[in-house]
Amino acid sequence: MPRKKAGNNPEQDKGRKKKNKRFQSVRGMRDILPKEQPYWQKLRKVVEKIAIDYNYNRIDFPILEESELFERGTGKNTDIVDKEMYKFKTKGGANVCLRPEGTPSVVRSYLQHGMASQRKPVKLSYNGPMYRYDRPQEGRYREFFQFGFEAIGEQDAILDAQMIQMATRIFKSLKIKNVALHLNSIGCEECRPSYNKLLISYLNNRKKSLCMDCKRRLKSNPLRVLDCKEEKCTQVVGQAPQTVDHLCGDCKTHFTSLLEYLDEIQIVYSLRPQLVRGLDYYTKTVFEFFTEDDKGAQSALGGGGRYDNLVGILGGPETPGVGFACGMDRLVKVMQNSDTEPYLPPTPKVYLAQLGDAAKKKSLRVFEELNKSGVMIAESFGRGNLRSQLKQANKMNAEIVLIIGQREALDDSVILKDMNSGGQETMPAEKIVKEVRRRLKKNAEMIKKIARQKTQKKERDLVKKKKSKKTTKRKTPVKKNRKK
Ligand code: AMP
């Protein structure tokens, strides 16, 4: 029977297509490729350093949590819980979700592991992926990364100021300029009910001008109407009563203290009466950081605030808390357009080349010995051609190349080629570690000496330049006088 040509058999075609399918990452989720990693590493290092400097301990918590944790903690009527949470039932029937943010998880862990008995505030920091099923666009993903800091157990406004100070230091270390701090106080359960009444009555009178979402929010979470981005709502909200004008005595004192602390550490803020943050648990302080690019487009880098009721809401004893989180994807993007230097990992200065099967086997051992002694080393074990290996060594600017050929494999020796001087010698394999280390150390000292001489020359040139400027300045008035 003649074989059917491709395309004549739909079943076969379908099978072939299925087999050849190239998979893509899921919509809204992306790979962070090696070329981007130096910026991510830089960011993680800066955040880790701040955590150490301010005595925050690292915490990791699962990506999967009970949905109810966020429904109760973040709030059922918030966008990230109501609209954006990845929720599903496990095979065992548990209602779980992919974490949309970190704070409720940190508080859950704090309660679950009895951290309440530790000295307060309990300071915790984290970073990792978060998940929100929102419409993906530039800078907004369904899987994105956040780092965050939480201090649980202290109500003093100095902690709020310190959180802001830490975030500011991170932005400075990353050389991110033009970061604006927006600040507000949204009161507490003492003063918020009466404020809410005022706000509802104000908004009810203008209900027709609100968007559909805000008409709904008016019932479920009126405060959220304040930060709606719809043009018609922002117009209504512009004249709405402001939370800061209706704070109780305690909240007023807290906010004033915070502003005084910020003045003391010279952090510039901009008071934003419409800033409420999207989450239910905030009390008193709320803040957000924005940056502006060359074209004037604003991007939210992160935000946070005080959550004095959250521990209680999640079943613990009433305990105050404050924290903030920043979007790492956005920070990396801003870093790439700023003067931020990415993290450059140390590169190997030694290259190990081999020729022939016996040499290949020996190379594995030499590599291991050098590596164990702390020498970073590169190789292309898969390649048999010596010329292509030496080309590779040149490309990576190796200072030393070690070559093991058939003969060296037989008499247990290694050829050491010094790429700076061009000279080479054969030596017993057992001496190679000591010799490589000696030469690398000598090279490093030489590089340091050259760098020192360069800076000294620069300094001398600068002094000379300054001196010559002074003499020309002195000459100028004489010339003027002569002209007269
Ligand atoms: P939030 O928890 O909503 O206050 O978000 C804190 C920060 O996380 C924001 O300022 C953003 O920088 C970042 N972020 C929030 N959602 C996303 C997202 N879908 N994609 C990328 N970054 C995000």
Side-chain angles (χ1 to χ4, degrees), residues 28 30 80 84 100-103 126 130-147 277-279 281-282 287-290 299-304 324-331:
R30 70 205 214 286
I80 67 173
E84 298 164 12
E101 60 141 341
T103 311
Y126 61 88
M130 306 293 160
Y131 300 84
R132 295 183 191 173
Y133 194 85
D134 200 358
R135 195 171 52 79
Q137 59 181 54
E138 176 76 28
R140 194 203 288 156
Y141 311 100
R142 289 179 174 172
E143 179 188 66
F144 62 99
F145 291 75
Q146 282 188 339
F147 69 80
R277 308 260 305 133
L279 322 178
Y281 51 66
Y282 284 116
F287 57 88
E288 262 175 7
F289 296 99
F290 287 88
S299 167
L301 296 179
F324 77 95
C326 283
M328 297 174 77
D329 311 67
R330 294 209 189 149
L331 276 171

Side-chain angles (χ1 to χ4, degrees), residues 2 27 119 123 145 247 289 306 385 394:
R27 186 166 135 84
R119 198 167 65 85
K123 293 177 162 185
F145 291 75
L247 297 177
F289 296 99
R306 185 156 274 286
N385 182 324
N394 251 329

